[in-house]
mmCIF file of all heavy atoms in Angstrom:
data_model
loop_
_atom_site.group_PDB
_atom_site.id
_atom_site.type_symbol
_atom_site.label_atom_id
_atom_site.label_comp_id
_atom_site.label_asym_id
_atom_site.label_seq_id
_atom_site.Cartn_x
_atom_site.Cartn_y
_atom_site.Cartn_z
ATOM 1 N N LEU E 13 -10.064 -24.941 -18.337
ATOM 2 C CA LEU E 13 -10.317 -26.047 -19.301
ATOM 3 C C LEU E 13 -11.680 -26.481 -19.226
ATOM 4 O O LEU E 13 -12.272 -26.947 -20.250
ATOM 5 C CB LEU E 13 -9.230 -27.147 -19.056
ATOM 6 C CG LEU E 13 -7.811 -26.739 -19.225
ATOM 7 C CD1 LEU E 13 -6.902 -27.977 -18.848
ATOM 8 C CD2 LEU E 13 -7.522 -26.380 -20.649
ATOM 9 N N GLY E 48 -8.592 -18.624 -26.977
ATOM 10 C CA GLY E 48 -7.710 -19.025 -28.039
ATOM 11 C C GLY E 48 -8.484 -19.739 -29.171
ATOM 12 O O GLY E 48 -9.713 -19.879 -29.081
ATOM 13 N N LYS E 83 -5.163 -7.054 -9.477
ATOM 14 C CA LYS E 83 -6.034 -7.258 -8.353
ATOM 15 C C LYS E 83 -5.244 -7.821 -7.129
ATOM 16 O O LYS E 83 -5.468 -7.428 -6.051
ATOM 17 C CB LYS E 83 -7.176 -8.230 -8.746
ATOM 18 C CG LYS E 83 -8.151 -8.519 -7.589
ATOM 19 C CD LYS E 83 -9.279 -9.456 -8.170
ATOM 20 C CE LYS E 83 -10.254 -9.694 -7.071
ATOM 21 N NZ LYS E 83 -11.385 -10.597 -7.500
ATOM 22 N N ALA E 86 -3.042 -5.377 -4.733
ATOM 23 C CA ALA E 86 -3.677 -4.509 -3.745
ATOM 24 C C ALA E 86 -3.447 -3.030 -3.980
ATOM 25 O O ALA E 86 -3.656 -2.210 -3.163
ATOM 26 C CB ALA E 86 -3.225 -4.887 -2.261
ATOM 27 N N GLU E 110 15.992 14.184 -9.111
ATOM 28 C CA GLU E 110 16.984 13.076 -8.960
ATOM 29 C C GLU E 110 16.182 11.797 -8.633
ATOM 30 O O GLU E 110 16.479 10.679 -9.164
ATOM 31 C CB GLU E 110 18.006 13.326 -7.824
ATOM 32 C CG GLU E 110 19.014 12.238 -7.699
ATOM 33 C CD GLU E 110 19.881 12.516 -6.489
ATOM 34 O OE1 GLU E 110 19.980 13.696 -6.014
ATOM 35 O OE2 GLU E 110 20.578 11.526 -6.053
ATOM 36 N N ALA E 134 14.818 2.693 -2.478
ATOM 37 C CA ALA E 134 14.252 3.400 -1.337
ATOM 38 C C ALA E 134 14.256 4.927 -1.597
ATOM 39 O O ALA E 134 15.269 5.488 -1.990
ATOM 40 C CB ALA E 134 15.065 3.048 -0.089
ATOM 41 N N ARG E 138 11.315 13.751 3.443
ATOM 42 C CA ARG E 138 10.168 14.593 3.610
ATOM 43 C C ARG E 138 8.894 14.029 3.057
ATOM 44 O O ARG E 138 8.829 13.370 1.985
ATOM 45 C CB ARG E 138 10.423 15.873 2.889
ATOM 46 C CG ARG E 138 11.507 16.801 3.417
ATOM 47 C CD ARG E 138 11.055 17.420 4.704
ATOM 48 N NE ARG E 138 9.703 17.992 4.708
ATOM 49 C CZ ARG E 138 9.159 18.640 5.784
ATOM 50 N NH1 ARG E 138 9.869 18.841 6.888
ATOM 51 N NH2 ARG E 138 8.017 19.211 5.696
ATOM 52 N N ASN E 153 4.439 0.003 -13.836
ATOM 53 C CA ASN E 153 5.277 -0.370 -14.989
ATOM 54 C C ASN E 153 5.667 -1.914 -14.931
ATOM 55 O O ASN E 153 5.480 -2.615 -15.911
ATOM 56 C CB ASN E 153 6.612 0.396 -15.111
ATOM 57 C CG ASN E 153 7.409 0.225 -16.344
ATOM 58 O OD1 ASN E 153 7.939 -0.795 -16.592
ATOM 59 N ND2 ASN E 153 7.401 1.282 -17.114
ATOM 60 N N ILE E 159 5.140 -8.555 -14.073
ATOM 61 C CA ILE E 159 5.953 -8.706 -12.946
ATOM 62 C C ILE E 159 5.105 -8.504 -11.750
ATOM 63 O O ILE E 159 4.484 -7.412 -11.607
ATOM 64 C CB ILE E 159 7.183 -7.827 -12.858
ATOM 65 C CG1 ILE E 159 8.108 -8.095 -14.086
ATOM 66 C CG2 ILE E 159 7.929 -8.037 -11.544
ATOM 67 C CD1 ILE E 159 9.217 -7.104 -14.229
ATOM 68 N N ASP E 176 -6.601 -10.056 12.500
ATOM 69 C CA ASP E 176 -6.868 -11.452 12.314
ATOM 70 C C ASP E 176 -5.557 -12.219 12.428
ATOM 71 O O ASP E 176 -4.926 -12.566 11.453
ATOM 72 C CB ASP E 176 -7.487 -11.778 10.973
ATOM 73 C CG ASP E 176 -7.961 -13.175 10.916
ATOM 74 O OD1 ASP E 176 -7.787 -13.963 11.813
ATOM 75 O OD2 ASP E 176 -8.629 -13.515 9.833
ATOM 76 N N ARG E 186 3.019 -14.476 2.259
ATOM 77 C CA ARG E 186 2.732 -13.852 0.987
ATOM 78 C C ARG E 186 3.607 -12.691 0.785
ATOM 79 O O ARG E 186 4.114 -12.465 -0.311
ATOM 80 C CB ARG E 186 1.227 -13.492 0.971
ATOM 81 C CG ARG E 186 0.824 -12.835 -0.331
ATOM 82 C CD ARG E 186 -0.788 -12.754 -0.397
ATOM 83 N NE ARG E 186 -1.176 -12.183 -1.662
ATOM 84 C CZ ARG E 186 -1.540 -10.884 -1.731
ATOM 85 N NH1 ARG E 186 -1.590 -10.121 -0.689
ATOM 86 N NH2 ARG E 186 -2.021 -10.443 -2.947
ATOM 87 N N PRO E 205 8.294 2.240 16.787
ATOM 88 C CA PRO E 205 7.477 0.991 16.371
ATOM 89 C C PRO E 205 7.297 0.058 17.539
ATOM 90 O O PRO E 205 8.124 -0.045 18.485
ATOM 91 C CB PRO E 205 8.287 0.415 15.266
ATOM 92 C CG PRO E 205 9.712 0.899 15.513
ATOM 93 C CD PRO E 205 9.525 2.279 16.097
ATOM 94 N N GLU E 209 5.570 -4.903 15.307
ATOM 95 C CA GLU E 209 5.959 -4.444 14.027
ATOM 96 C C GLU E 209 7.441 -4.766 13.683
ATOM 97 O O GLU E 209 7.761 -5.104 12.563
ATOM 98 C CB GLU E 209 5.741 -2.897 14.020
ATOM 99 C CG GLU E 209 4.306 -2.470 13.971
ATOM 100 C CD GLU E 209 4.145 -0.927 14.182
ATOM 101 O OE1 GLU E 209 5.022 -0.304 14.697
ATOM 102 O OE2 GLU E 209 3.101 -0.438 13.696
ATOM 103 N N ARG E 220 13.460 -11.836 2.393
ATOM 104 C CA ARG E 220 13.687 -11.283 1.071
ATOM 105 C C ARG E 220 15.252 -10.969 0.917
ATOM 106 O O ARG E 220 15.752 -11.162 -0.201
ATOM 107 C CB ARG E 220 12.893 -9.981 0.901
ATOM 108 C CG ARG E 220 11.406 -10.372 0.987
ATOM 109 C CD ARG E 220 10.548 -9.096 0.619
ATOM 110 N NE ARG E 220 10.628 -8.756 -0.843
ATOM 111 C CZ ARG E 220 9.937 -9.515 -1.779
ATOM 112 N NH1 ARG E 220 9.070 -10.521 -1.396
ATOM 113 N NH2 ARG E 220 10.019 -9.235 -2.945
ATOM 114 N N GLU E 237 17.905 6.189 11.250
ATOM 115 C CA GLU E 237 16.817 6.167 12.259
ATOM 116 C C GLU E 237 16.188 4.721 12.268
ATOM 117 O O GLU E 237 15.828 4.269 13.356
ATOM 118 C CB GLU E 237 15.748 7.149 11.812
ATOM 119 C CG GLU E 237 16.095 8.621 11.970
ATOM 120 C CD GLU E 237 15.095 9.555 11.405
ATOM 121 O OE1 GLU E 237 14.728 9.436 10.235
ATOM 122 O OE2 GLU E 237 14.694 10.459 12.108
ATOM 123 N N HIS E 256 20.363 2.712 -5.323
ATOM 124 C CA HIS E 256 18.967 3.137 -5.702
ATOM 125 C C HIS E 256 18.218 3.769 -4.504
ATOM 126 O O HIS E 256 17.165 3.544 -4.291
ATOM 127 C CB HIS E 256 18.187 1.990 -6.311
ATOM 128 C CG HIS E 256 18.849 1.197 -7.305
ATOM 129 N ND1 HIS E 256 19.572 -0.013 -7.066
ATOM 130 C CD2 HIS E 256 18.985 1.450 -8.624
ATOM 131 C CE1 HIS E 256 20.074 -0.387 -8.264
ATOM 132 N NE2 HIS E 256 19.767 0.416 -9.189
ATOM 133 N N GLY E 263 12.715 21.585 3.690
ATOM 134 C CA GLY E 263 11.726 22.081 4.547
ATOM 135 C C GLY E 263 10.289 21.826 3.855
ATOM 136 O O GLY E 263 10.165 21.055 3.061
ATOM 137 N N ASN E 267 6.729 19.961 0.195
ATOM 138 C CA ASN E 267 5.476 19.291 0.197
ATOM 139 C C ASN E 267 4.470 19.866 -0.797
ATOM 140 O O ASN E 267 3.979 21.003 -0.623
ATOM 141 C CB ASN E 267 4.843 19.365 1.580
ATOM 142 C CG ASN E 267 3.683 18.419 1.899
ATOM 143 O OD1 ASN E 267 2.869 18.201 0.987
ATOM 144 N ND2 ASN E 267 3.576 17.988 3.111
ATOM 145 N N GLU E 272 0.814 26.752 -3.033
ATOM 146 C CA GLU E 272 -0.251 27.556 -3.496
ATOM 147 C C GLU E 272 -0.636 27.212 -4.902
ATOM 148 O O GLU E 272 0.228 26.866 -5.734
ATOM 149 C CB GLU E 272 0.182 29.087 -3.479
ATOM 150 C CG GLU E 272 0.463 29.614 -2.079
ATOM 151 C CD GLU E 272 -0.818 29.768 -1.207
ATOM 152 O OE1 GLU E 272 -1.853 29.757 -1.782
ATOM 153 O OE2 GLU E 272 -0.663 29.715 0.048
#
Side-chain angles (χ1 to χ4, degrees):
L13 297 179
K83 183 177 180 180
E110 179 185 342
R138 289 293 310 184
N153 191 289
I159 299 171
D176 189 356
R186 182 169 179 259
E209 290 173 334
R220 301 188 69 81
E237 290 173 309
H256 307 97
N267 194 324
E272 296 292 338

